[in-house]
Amino acid sequence: MEYRKIGKIYVVRLEIGEEIITKLKELCSDLKIGAGKVNGIGVLRSAVISYFDLPTGVYLHRKLSGNMEITSLMGNISSMQGERFPHLHITLADDGFQLVGGHLTSGEIGVTGELIVEPFAGIIERKINQESGLNLLAL
């Protein structure tokens, strides 16, 4: 991972084999970013995407492999129990131009990942919501 600060934002390049969530946590921890937003593009070689099934209260997961173009990656950064918490959603396109998307649980870079991280002042915490079981922003 390499990054450069331009004004108030960080431009980040992820390398082949790096995992997006892990590297974002590392970056935010190192730079003391406790809140912000993330956007990105690139290519993954594997991913796990998830969908929260409200009636059952559980995440459904789908493992994907093969080169997939990140057509959209967006989300936010918060903190939970002292750790950085990137909450990302992703849309991926395969070689047949078919799209799939959801909550990004993990994503391994296949060629490159190009992210824009825009920090906010302060820290935004997450707490478990008893009704849904989800880690929601505690505002």
Side-chain angles (χ1 to χ4, degrees), residues 44-129:
L44 298 182
R45 66 180 175 196
S46 67
V48 176
I49 58 172
S50 304
Y51 172 83
F52 186 73
D53 186 55
L54 192 55
T56 63
V58 298
Y59 274 99
L60 306 174
H61 305 286
R62 180 180 285 181
K63 293 180 182 180
L64 305 167
S65 61
N67 285 332
M68 297 163 283
E69 191 81 29
I70 300 171
T71 61
S72 178
L73 173 73
M74 60 185 294
N76 59 55
I77 298 160
S78 57
S79 294
M80 186 163 174
Q81 299 174 342
E83 288 194 34
R84 298 312 186 253
F85 191 101
H87 181 194
L88 305 175
H89 287 212
I90 194 164
T91 305
L92 298 164
D94 64 16
D95 60 357
F97 299 96
Q98 298 299 306
L99 299 175
V100 64
H103 176 87
L104 182 64
T105 301
S106 69
E108 185 179 353
I109 299 297
V111 177
T112 190
E114 299 175 357
L115 308 179
I116 303 296
V117 177
E118 183 178 348
F120 301 152
I123 293 175
I124 297 176
E125 290 286 335
R126 284 187 177 272
K127 293 186 180 171
I128 296 175
N129 176 274

Side-chain angles (χ1 to χ4, degrees), residues 3-57:
Y3 64 88
R4 185 168 121 197
K5 187 173 184 183
I6 301 174
K8 294 180 180 182
I9 67 165
Y10 291 89
V11 179
V12 181
R13 188 182 78 230
L14 299 177
E15 305 286 342
I16 294 171
E18 292 183 319
E19 199 284 313
I20 294 174
I21 304 288
T22 301
K23 287 299 180 180
L24 266 176
K25 284 181 178 182
E26 181 183 305
L27 178 80
C28 292
S29 181
D30 290 351
L31 297 175
K32 302 197 180 347
I33 297 171
K37 69 178 182 177
V38 179
N39 292 303
I41 57 173
V43 176
L44 298 182
R45 66 180 175 196
S46 67
V48 176
I49 58 172
S50 304
Y51 172 83
F52 186 73
D53 186 55
L54 192 55
T56 63

